[in-house]
Structures are given as C-alpha cells and as structure tokens.
Amino acid sequence: MVAKKFVNAPEAIVAETLAGFTAAYPETVRLLPGTQTVVRSQRKASDKVAVVIGNGAGHEPACIGFVGENMLDANICGGLFAAPGPDPLRDAVEMMDSEAGVCVLISNHAGDVLNSKMALDMAEDDDLRCKGVILYDDIASAPKGEEHERRGTAGTLFNYKITGTYADQGHDLEAVCAMAERVRDNTRTLTVASIPGTSPVTGKPMFEIADDEVEIGIGVHGEAAAHNMKLKSAAEVAKVMTESLLEDGEYRAGDELAVIVNGCGQTTYMELLIFFNDVNQILKSRGIASVKPAIGNFITTQEMGGIALSFCRVDDTLKALWLAPSTAIGFGW
C-alpha cells in the first residue's frame, strides 16, 4: 500500500523535509552541511549554554520548528519516528562549540535515551562539556510515584521554551540543567486520540480505534493507551483529562498553570479552541489561573486526530521565561 501523501520517495522524506524547512526560513535556521542537524542561523555567543535535542521526523513542526532565539540551539533529526544515532548527536555537541557547555534535552523513549547517553559518554571522553536531562510528562504511561518511567510527550514543549530562554539569559550549565529538571517536575500531560495517523512509508494506520471510541493516554507514536471510552463531547473529554492532570500534578487553588492544547495533526483549530474553553472553565471553577495558553499543532503524529493537554505549574520566574518572545518558526510569540 502506498501512503496517500504528497511525497516523492519514502527514503527522501526526511532530507526533503529539512531542505524545505531551512530553505523557507533562512533568517532563522540553517542545515549544517552533510548532516540532518538544524541550527540557528545566527549562533549565540559561546559563553552561553547551548540547548539541543535529537528526535525523529514525522512530528513537525516538532522539533525543527523549535530552533530559534529563546528556544533550542539545534535539533539533530533522526529517521522517520526514529531517534538519531549517537554519532550525529556527539558531533552536534562538538559543533555547538560552546565554552559554557551543552545541555541535551532527552525525551524519555528507549531509543532516544540509549543513543543520547552513548553520545554524551563519547563527548565527555573527548573533553566536551555537556550534560543530559531526561524529560517525562505523560501520566498515562506510568503510575504516580514512578514519574521517571513516563514517556516524554507534548509537555516537553514547556522545557524547550522555558529552559531555552533561561540558557539564552546566560546561566551556567548546572543552572540550566537544574531549570530543565524543575520544569519537568512541574509538568503533566495526557493525550486523547480519535483517529490513527498513517505511516508515510507503509501507508498503514499506526494503530486502530473503533469509530465510536477514543483512546485516552496514547503516546506520540501510537503507543498503547491507558484505556478507551465511547466518543463523548469536548466538554466531557476535557473534564476527564483536566481532572486527571490536576490530581496527578497536585495542582491546587491559587496555582498558575501554563497550558498547552496540542493538536495531534488532524484536529482542527476550531476543535482545539472549544476544548480549551472547556478546560479553562474547569480551571476557573477550581481557583486555578491559566497563563497564556499555547493552542495549535506543535507535536503531531501525521494526520492523527487527537489532543494532548499539558499543564506546567509556574511561579513568577517560570512565567516570565514562558512569556518571553521567541523567533522559533513553530512557536513564535
């Protein structure tokens, strides 16, 4: 079966995606020659920590779209839905040429963690200054108390923005990594899917959902959901997801939450706005304030229908970092 998509050849999808992206936005990003690494067009001073991430393609605008001022310095792109290998990650750390060091943000998936740890070991053996921070936020993938076993999903976007801005302000490597851990520990995400995405290579659905059901707690690659339920209204789904996140994150009246309502690819902006309105009403009823929500398609799974809802508890420091403007194409505000 051939995927019904506007591509040229399956083996060229990643290279042509990167070529198109960097050709479209040369004022913001460029592609390092001979690599699949997207970096800022204007590299920041070497006395500031560089923040990088490696990730698989197929989730655009993540994570190539998050390279820019007050976000990432580089994204090392792997294959379609596949983490980059340790060699390109190690090489990217060296190419950052940062005297202050490199913070590698690692979304908690087996391939990403394995390859990133190997890359960090290789870089340290070569006396390159770098540290990694593993990010996890998906409450459906491991129980409370075992947060470190959870998958990295849409809530990692809080870290790309807040930690990236913090690094641009000139803090040292230890402080930047500590900020990444602080943001991670205040973040929770839950994802609902209504329609599966389709692999651009095989043309096959990535998982199955009955026409009258939705999956609650699915991963960004179609990983198994925690449970399914009959298709309900936006308000009913928002209630289930919001209350689950509030309980797990122990968010309380008086808290301020940065909010992400992430479309998974096929869900329309209209649906996302209706869903956010329902979420916001619940938060208000609990005495919790939402801080400038990010609503749109940020971390997608091709044309998967669904919504990822993420909260991050913020104080004045984190809020200022979240609100700071960015030039990143996939998250400019």
Side-chain angles (χ1 to χ4, degrees):
M1 179 185 291
V2 177
K4 197 172 183 181
K5 294 178 181 289
F6 294 105
V7 298
N8 295 312
E11 63 275 16
I13 287 174
V14 176
E16 293 182 351
T17 299
L18 298 179
F21 181 70
T22 52
Y25 307 106
E27 71 283 358
T28 304
V29 291
R30 63 187 177 90
L31 191 62
L32 290 180
T35 75
Q36 294 191 162
T37 297
V38 175
V39 300
R40 298 184 190 185
S41 291
Q42 301 297 323
R43 181 175 295 182
K44 68 187 181 190
S46 62
D47 62 350
K48 293 184 177 180
V49 172
V51 179
V52 308
I53 183 171
N55 79 296
H59 303 290
E60 290 73 25
C63 290
I64 53 176
F66 306 147
V67 175
E69 291 179 14
N70 284 338
M71 287 196 86
L72 303 177
D73 291 273
N75 176 63
I76 302 91
C77 201
L80 196 63
F81 300 129
D87 288 328
L89 280 167
R90 180 264 171 220
D91 292 345
V93 169
E94 182 174 26
M95 285 186 281
M96 285 297 97
D97 191 27
S98 173
E99 298 170 5
V102 178
C103 173
V104 182
L105 299 179
I106 306 163
S107 184
N108 194 22
H109 293 89
D112 297 75
V113 173
L114 176 64
N115 290 337
S116 295
K117 286 185 174 180
M118 291 176 64
L120 288 167
D121 288 342
M122 293 161 63
E124 289 174 356
D125 288 343
D126 293 333
D127 295 325
L128 301 173
R129 191 168 180 226
C130 56
K131 291 185 70 173
V133 178
I134 297 177
L135 307 182
Y136 40 79
D137 58 303
D138 176 19
I139 68 170
S141 53
K144 190 170 176 60
E146 298 179 17
E147 284 83 356
H148 65 285
E149 297 289 348
R150 292 175 171 175
R151 297 180 295 231
T153 53
T156 56
L157 179 55
F158 288 125
N159 233 304
Y160 305 153
K161 178 64 181 67
I162 295 173
T163 302
T165 302
Y166 191 68
D168 276 10
Q169 292 179 347
H171 300 276
D172 65 27
L173 181 59
E174 286 69 26
V176 170
C177 292
M179 174 58 74
E181 293 174 348
R182 180 178 169 191
V183 175
R184 175 197 66 198
D185 294 344
N186 278 289
T187 297
R188 300 290 188 277
T189 294
L190 188 59
T191 303
V192 59
S194 58
I195 301 170
T198 302
S199 167
V201 175
T202 67
K204 296 180 179 178
M206 300 171 69
F207 53 93
E208 295 183 354
I209 303 177
D211 290 341
D212 61 345
E213 292 183 346
V214 296
E215 301 272 354
I216 300 284
I218 204 159
V220 294
H221 308 101
E223 294 93 338
H227 63 274
N228 57 7
M229 67 180 190
K230 293 297 181 183
L231 182 62
K232 297 180 182 297
S233 68
E236 290 172 300
V237 174
K239 184 174 188 296
V240 170
M241 296 175 71
T242 302
E243 291 186 344
S244 297
L245 292 174
L246 294 180
E247 179 180 355
D248 192 280
E250 300 181 9
Y251 303 122
R252 299 287 183 263
D255 282 347
E256 291 186 291
L257 301 182
V259 177
I260 296 171
V261 177
N262 173 64
C264 297
Q266 189 176 110
T267 305
T268 66
Y269 191 51
M270 173 194 74
E271 294 171 275
L272 300 180
L273 291 172
I274 291 170
F275 179 83
F276 170 71
N277 183 54
D278 293 322
V279 170
N280 197 42
Q281 293 302 318
I282 297 170
L283 294 180
K284 283 184 175 179
S285 72
R286 301 292 185 87
I288 298 172
S290 61
V291 177
K292 191 172 183 177
I295 303 172
N297 289 313
F298 303 108
I299 300 176
T300 64
T301 308
Q302 295 300 291
E303 71 274 29
M304 187 170 98
I307 299 171
L309 177 64
S310 302
F311 295 152
C312 178
R313 182 188 291 109
V314 295
D315 56 15
D316 289 345
T317 299
L318 268 62
K319 183 164 63 175
L321 295 167
W322 174 244
L323 296 177
S326 172
T327 62
I329 300 301
F331 194 73
W333 71 10

